[in-house]
Amino acid sequence: MPARSSCLGRPAAVRPPKTGEHPVLLDCLSGVADPRRAKGRRHPLAFVLALAACAVLAGSRDQPRQIH
């Protein structure tokens, strides 16, 4: 199944790595189509996705914990 580029379900133009290749995360994410409008776009989508992936790998939860 091809990678999805957004919640709209359009397939991304990302080719799977060949045997022996070791793609960098940003290289892989740069092939994801950006569904955002140009207005207000400040950071490349690949960078935003990489930050989200790092947060999940670091144990981020869907809601912030409240500090008492």
Side-chain angles (χ1 to χ4, degrees), residues 18-34:
K18 296 178 182 177
T19 304
E21 280 187 332
H22 302 285
V24 177
L25 179 61
L26 285 176
D27 292 337
C28 294
L29 294 175
S30 67
V32 177
D34 193 345

Side-chain angles (χ1 to χ4, degrees), residues 4-11 34-36:
R4 298 290 179 184
S5 63
S6 72
C7 60
L8 301 176
R10 293 175 291 195
D34 193 345
R36 302 175 296 169

